[in-house]
Amino acid sequence: MNFPNGDIFLGEIIGTAILILFGAGVCAAITLNHSKAKAAGWIVIAFGWGFGVLAGAYTAAPLSGGHINPAVTLGIAVQTGENWDKVPVYLAGQLIGAMLGAVLAWLVYYAQFAANRDKDTATPTLGIFSTIPEIRSPVANLVTEIIATVALVLPILAFGLTKGLGESGTLVLVVALLVVGIGLSLGGPTGYAINPARDLGPRIVHALLPIPNKGPSDWGYSWVPVVGPLIGGVLAAWIYDLAF
């Protein structure tokens, strides 16, 4: 986290925007009518988000370290006990980047969103931007997000002990594969936000954009994919300090 504040802010905006462009893009691809990837399935979603992490984190890494996730930033700050003054800079860049990426994904699929005007054939759009639990149970959903985020942040912290990963440039690739694995294994209950900015930024954009038949933005649930990952990031740091 020892990067200049300006570089951190810019890097996290760019990296998180790329993450959400890929992630919201793959969700739009399988959700919206008149998309060539319509109904492609969960495996496609998991790999789409994984590739988003790969592209976003690699792009941001030279500027900011490529956190692109407030839970990762918080976990690193708690574990190291350092650079707390830089945490707000990371978080601001991540939220702005997530909103920007959501807007870009909307522009890519603008014609498909516009074709969603017919109420008889319209498909829900919130799931393109943000997570929706399959079974709405705030406590269970919160626990799922906490565990899934620990499964992300704890390995990321542990990967730092293997110097060869960083020196070879493969660390980000391994993290991207980790995200794919989390999606495949732990994503079923809530859609695996595991990233507060990834959920909140696009949810704000969903509320603001003139999307036909978009429906509500489900603000009653919005706290779960923010609070859960933040708790998970802190727990991961504590577990790391106890075990390593």
Side-chain angles (χ1 to χ4, degrees):
M1 295 173 67
N2 293 314
F3 297 89
N5 284 346
D7 287 355
I8 291 172
F9 187 62
L10 181 61
E12 292 298 297
I13 288 176
I14 295 172
T16 312
I18 292 173
L19 165 66
I20 302 303
L21 174 61
F22 276 54
V26 72
C27 289
I30 70 151
T31 299
L32 293 170
N33 293 322
H34 310 293
S35 165
K36 293 183 181 295
K38 173 73 175 176
W42 189 251
I43 292 177
V44 173
I45 289 178
F47 274 94
W49 279 102
F51 289 137
V53 170
L54 184 70
Y58 264 130
T59 304
L63 293 171
S64 65
H67 295 188
I68 62 174
N69 183 342
V72 172
T73 299
L74 184 60
I76 292 173
V78 170
Q79 191 276 313
T80 62
E82 300 175 350
N83 297 310
W84 281 99
D85 59 315
K86 295 184 181 293
V87 170
V89 181
Y90 273 95
L91 269 56
Q94 290 156 0
L95 183 60
I96 292 171
M99 294 175 67
L100 175 60
V103 172
L104 293 174
W106 170 69
L107 289 173
V108 169
Y109 285 90
Y110 181 83
Q112 283 71 30
F113 279 109
N116 211 42
R117 295 182 185 279
D118 187 346
K119 291 184 178 181
D120 294 331
T121 60
T123 56
T125 59
L126 178 58
I128 295 170
F129 294 87
S130 298
T131 58
I132 303 171
E134 195 67 16
I135 297 175
R136 188 171 294 267
S137 173
V139 173
N141 302 150
L142 185 67
V143 169
T144 295
E145 287 293 333
I146 291 171
I147 293 173
T149 308
V150 170
L152 171 69
V153 178
L154 181 58
I156 288 175
L157 295 174
F159 291 160
L161 298 175
T162 305
K163 294 182 179 180
L165 285 176
E167 292 172 354
S168 65
T170 56
L171 177 59
V172 173
L173 174 60
V174 174
V175 173
L177 292 174
L178 173 63
V179 172
V180 173
I182 290 171
L184 294 176
S185 301
L186 309 177
T190 62
Y192 74 115
I194 60 173
N195 182 335
R198 166 265 177 275
D199 196 275
L200 180 58
R203 195 181 298 270
I204 293 171
V205 168
H206 178 267
L208 296 175
L209 285 177
I211 301 171
N213 293 315
K214 67 180 178 180
S217 299
D218 196 8
W219 291 106
Y221 178 75
S222 64
W223 66 275
V224 173
V226 172
V227 174
L230 292 177
I231 294 174
V234 172
L235 287 177
W238 289 347
I239 295 169
Y240 178 89
D241 283 339
L242 287 171
F244 294 93

